[in-house]
Amino acid sequence: MATTVTPPVPGRRRRTPLARREARWAYVFLAPWIVGFLVFTAGPMVASLWLSFTEYDVINAPRWTGLDNYRQLVADPQVARSLGNTVYYTALHVPLVMLISLGLALLLKRVGRWQGFFRTVFYLPVMTPAVAVGILFLLLLNTQDGLINRGLALLGIDGPSWTTDPGWVMPGIVLMSLWSLGSTVIIYLAALQNVPRDLYEAADLDGAGAWARFRHVTLPMISGSLFFTLIVNTIASLQMFTEVYTMYFGNRQTQGSFNSDAASFYVIHLFQEAFQFLHMGFASAMAWLLFLIILIITAVQVKLSNRFVYYEGEDR
Amino acid sequence: MTTTSQPVGSGIASTAVAPVAAPRPEAREDGRRPRWQRILFVVALVAAAVIFMLPFVWLVSASLRPREYVFAPGFLPTPFAPDNYAEAWQAMPLLTWLFNSVVVGVAAAAAATLSSAWVAFGFAYFRFPGRNLLFGLVLATMMLPFAVTMIPTYLIWNRLGLVDTQVPLWAGNLFGSAFYIFLLRQFFLSLPREYFEAARVDGASYPQLFWKLAFPLIRPALLVAFVFEFKASWTDLIKPLIYLRNEQLYTLPRGLKVILDRFGYGGEQQWEIVLAGSVIATVPMIILFFLAQRHFVEGIATTGRKG
């Protein structure tokens, strides 16, 4: 079978028939994503923005209420509570995850033959289904008989009531979240192993001590990964749902008790407004506020980290 | 939208060239560190590993004890009560839920992998107007919170009469997913272009290029996408919460939540059943990890995916 390939015409800027045929085929390949984007992303975004200005309970047609939902949103103490909890959690969870993961990755980097084994140990909790993690920590955090308070007792510490004292519910959740930091460890380990050895050798020749090597070689060289995990972990923890929902929500025994307030997260509250109380309009307004918050926080992080992140090949 | 400083793929490539032999006196190797430092290092590492493993040990052990011993001190399953598993198995349709999880997981993973590969090939091979803009849009969708599209997406499936079926749990994956499009595009880009142009000259069509040449060549990357999506589907609670009412259609996490609410909190504090259920939901993921360990580690190191 002979195919003719259009010879390139010198000096002509117009697109060749081949290029045009290629472009047509390109859109055949992109078609699933374009359709999916319109139906499941762009369309729903427009729809939820519109719904956020209405009152809608799925059964009756949406009723336009203007800015009512947003006014309620700002005044609603439960929304404020859940947002406060979520921000508090993120502010603790993200730096702790980064710090501990970096420590573990630095340890792992120095392991020889057993590196794979220890990497697996730190990653296995990530494989555990979030519902099982919630159940497991509900019991580990038990005041009298939980493993964690037993361990604290060995150190002579009288452990708090992690799951029943409203003041300790959030720290307990943060503690649980630290168990699943394995993917951040793997990202840092990969970054650490990418630092060129001659940089360390040069630092040694300059007589740099361990701290100077870390501060002036390691940190700048992995700053890209640190920045990346900062953004990804922040976005994810602002949307915390499954573990906490499993522990404190979704059944009559716990719902409405004091800790459903103390453990209320933004997306959990949003989910309940939407699918338990069928306040679809109000929940849509909540979703857009969350989107806005994520955009602002990410923008601030990008702005700030421009000063700290070192990009290879960049002259500074 | 988010950018990393590292070239993607460098994580794997350069670990292979880590120095093995070649003694360099000027580089401080572990053997040259003071003895107390090396001991401290081993102690810290082993302590951290023990702390991370203890919850697993306790979970398995407590799930094998009689009810009144669940919270007993120690890590040994004594007295030994494997009947907990039989009891859990009889109390709830665990086998059905396991089966549902496998079916939904395979459908979700296959749909996401195939469609994302198809789209990724489009981005990697073709040159067309608006390519960079569209690809930027693909990446931007990764930042969009699930909550923003959650309600209208529910309304779509509701309108189609597919709420309370398992279809919404996987069918959305048929349209490619940004994360895997990004991942697979990187792998397609690493294939030499002349290879495809030669096949074109020999008369291969574009779909043939994809199926016969590109697709088989990036099999390791396809496995990365498959295992990640399978895991994501297996552990997901929020979609089953939104879409499933009928208990017979539940996936394991949704079923596990019912077990917790019915036997743990609500019932007679039968925590041994709740724990046995948790072990049953977790073990397949542990097995999957050991089967596909390399793919998980590669996938995280190259793309920085969380979880």
Side-chain angles (χ1 to χ4, degrees):
Chain A
M1 188 163 66
T3 19
T4 48
V5 178
T6 332
V9 184
R12 242 179 67 181
R13 298 286 305 153
R14 276 189 42 209
R15 301 171 59 78
T16 61
L18 175 70
R20 250 177 294 150
R21 202 172 60 218
E22 262 209 353
R24 261 204 310 278
W25 268 101
Y27 289 108
V28 172
F29 276 90
L30 300 198
W33 181 79
I34 294 172
V35 171
F37 176 75
L38 293 176
V39 175
F40 289 109
T41 305
M45 279 178 79
V46 174
S48 79
L49 187 61
W50 181 74
L51 278 177
S52 77
F53 298 106
T54 68
E55 198 183 290
Y56 183 47
D57 61 2
V58 185
I59 300 138
N60 303 298
R63 198 168 57 82
W64 184 266
T65 55
L67 284 170
D68 271 11
N69 286 329
Y70 289 94
R71 257 182 237 120
Q72 266 183 56
L73 196 60
V74 179
D76 189 334
Q78 277 198 308
V79 170
R81 182 75 198 258
S82 67
L83 184 60
N85 282 345
T86 306
V87 170
Y88 173 92
Y89 167 78
T90 304
L92 277 178
H93 166 86
V94 175
L96 283 174
V97 162
M98 291 177 69
L99 215 66
I100 297 172
S101 300
L102 184 58
L104 292 176
L106 285 169
L107 285 178
L108 271 179
K109 195 190 111 183
R110 289 173 55 182
V111 185
R113 204 151 34 104
W114 286 80
Q115 195 186 65
F117 170 79
F118 284 103
R119 198 181 53 195
T120 302
V121 165
F122 297 133
Y123 192 72
L124 278 184
V126 182
M127 294 302 290
T128 312
V131 175
V133 173
I135 290 174
L136 179 56
F137 273 83
L138 198 56
L139 302 184
L140 293 179
L141 291 166
N142 185 287
T143 309
Q144 271 93 49
D145 306 311
L147 193 61
I148 289 166
N149 276 0
R150 282 237 170 89
L152 289 176
L154 287 182
L155 304 172
I157 301 168
D158 197 10
S161 302
W162 300 99
T163 55
T164 49
D165 180 344
W168 280 98
V169 165
M170 262 311 137
I173 292 169
V174 172
L175 194 63
M176 166 180 71
S177 75
L178 296 179
W179 193 50
S180 320
L181 48 67
S183 21
T184 308
V185 177
I186 290 181
I187 293 171
Y188 290 167
L189 182 61
L192 287 172
Q193 284 170 334
N194 268 343
V195 180
R197 269 185 98 71
D198 22 325
L199 287 183
Y200 288 118
E201 284 158 18
D204 278 349
L205 286 180
D206 288 347
W211 170 250
R213 279 155 47 105
F214 177 73
R215 173 68 189 79
H216 296 292
V217 179
T218 310
L219 269 190
M221 290 311 287
I222 65 164
S223 57
S225 294
L226 293 173
F227 170 56
F228 180 77
T229 55
L230 171 71
I231 294 209
V232 172
N233 282 318
T234 305
I235 293 178
S237 59
L238 288 171
Q239 299 181 69
M240 167 60 134
F241 178 84
T242 307
E243 289 91 337
V244 178
Y245 185 87
T246 301
M247 293 168 86
Y248 299 113
F249 294 88
N251 73 66
R252 261 168 260 115
Q253 258 69 31
T254 48
Q255 200 140 328
S257 75
F258 54 93
N259 34 12
S260 73
D261 252 3
S264 177
F265 273 70
Y266 195 82
V267 175
I268 293 179
H269 191 59
L270 194 164
F271 173 85
Q272 292 183 315
E273 286 288 350
F275 294 104
Q276 284 178 6
F277 312 124
L278 296 180
H279 299 157
M280 295 287 183
F282 186 73
S284 298
M286 281 187 77
W288 274 89
L289 179 64
L290 176 68
F291 188 28
L292 203 69
I293 291 171
I294 288 181
L295 280 183
I296 291 171
I297 291 183
T298 308
V300 169
Q301 286 174 339
V302 169
K303 193 101 187 133
L304 285 180
S305 53
N306 276 344
R307 305 222 303 264
F308 304 111
V309 179
Y310 168 80
Y311 292 102
E312 238 168 307
E314 186 186 332
D315 205 7
R316 27 191 319 150
Chain B
M1 226 155 169
T2 54
T3 48
T4 23
S5 69
Q6 302 159 297
V8 174
S10 59
I12 307 165
S14 56
T15 45
V17 282
V20 186
R24 295 190 211 173
E26 71 276 15
R28 270 187 281 175
E29 287 304 328
D30 245 27
R32 297 170 58 85
R33 287 174 196 267
R35 196 182 157 78
W36 67 268
Q37 262 194 25
R38 273 181 292 151
I39 292 173
L40 199 70
F41 162 74
V42 172
V43 169
L45 185 70
V46 171
V50 167
I51 289 172
F52 272 79
M53 279 300 102
L54 275 184
F56 277 124
V57 176
W58 185 83
L59 170 66
V60 174
S61 157
S63 76
L64 288 166
R65 293 182 204 152
R67 183 171 315 164
E68 53 277 17
Y69 289 90
V70 165
F71 286 107
F75 290 97
L76 291 176
T78 48
F80 191 53
D83 294 357
N84 292 343
Y85 284 83
E87 213 181 314
W89 206 260
Q90 277 159 14
M92 296 310 265
L94 275 172
L95 191 65
T96 310
W97 293 343
L98 247 161
F99 178 76
N100 291 343
S101 276
V102 172
V103 171
V104 170
V106 168
T113 308
L114 290 175
S115 63
S116 302
W118 177 265
V119 175
F121 186 74
F123 276 116
Y125 181 78
F126 296 98
R127 285 166 255 190
F128 55 93
R131 181 175 68 168
N132 291 341
L133 186 80
L134 271 180
F135 191 65
L137 207 54
V138 172
L139 297 185
T141 60
M142 283 202 266
M143 266 194 59
L144 188 70
F146 175 72
V148 172
T149 53
M150 176 175 81
I151 290 167
T153 305
Y154 168 81
L155 297 174
I156 292 173
W157 294 118
N158 192 32
R159 181 62 59 86
L160 294 173
L162 290 170
V163 166
D164 208 19
T165 72
Q166 289 164 346
V167 176
L169 305 193
W170 57 268
N173 287 0
L174 284 169
F175 305 94
S177 142
F179 173 71
Y180 306 119
I181 293 173
F182 171 72
L183 173 84
L184 298 173
R185 175 179 162 273
Q186 296 297 326
F187 280 84
F188 283 131
L189 284 176
S190 71
L191 305 175
R193 196 178 171 82
E194 301 81 54
Y195 192 49
F196 293 101
E197 268 155 14
R200 283 290 300 155
V201 173
D202 287 345
S205 69
Y206 291 113
Q208 277 171 337
L209 288 191
F210 173 73
W211 276 116
K212 299 232 167 93
L213 285 177
F215 201 72
L217 282 173
I218 61 150
R219 227 175 53 197
L222 296 170
L223 273 172
V224 172
F226 190 93
V227 294
F228 266 114
E229 190 57 28
F230 187 82
K231 187 218 155 199
S233 161
W234 187 277
T235 54
D236 181 39
L237 175 68
I238 194 157
K239 280 208 205 100
L241 270 179
I242 293 175
Y243 291 108
L244 301 179
R245 310 274 175 274
N246 180 354
E247 246 176 43
Q248 292 298 314
L249 296 176
Y250 280 5
T251 54
L252 264 175
R254 183 69 189 90
L256 198 52
K257 177 68 175 133
V258 172
I259 294 183
L260 169 69
D261 293 343
R262 208 168 290 173
F263 293 92
Y265 273 135
E268 304 162 45
Q269 309 267 308
Q270 293 161 284
W271 290 108
E272 77 285 0
I273 291 184
V274 180
L275 288 169
S278 305
V279 172
I280 291 170
T282 306
V283 165
M285 283 298 99
I286 306 287
I287 294 173
L288 178 71
F289 177 76
F290 281 109
L291 289 178
Q293 184 168 6
R294 199 168 54 87
H295 298 109
F296 277 106
V297 174
E298 268 183 33
I300 297 161
T302 38
T303 58
R305 179 190 177 102
K306 184 177 160 59

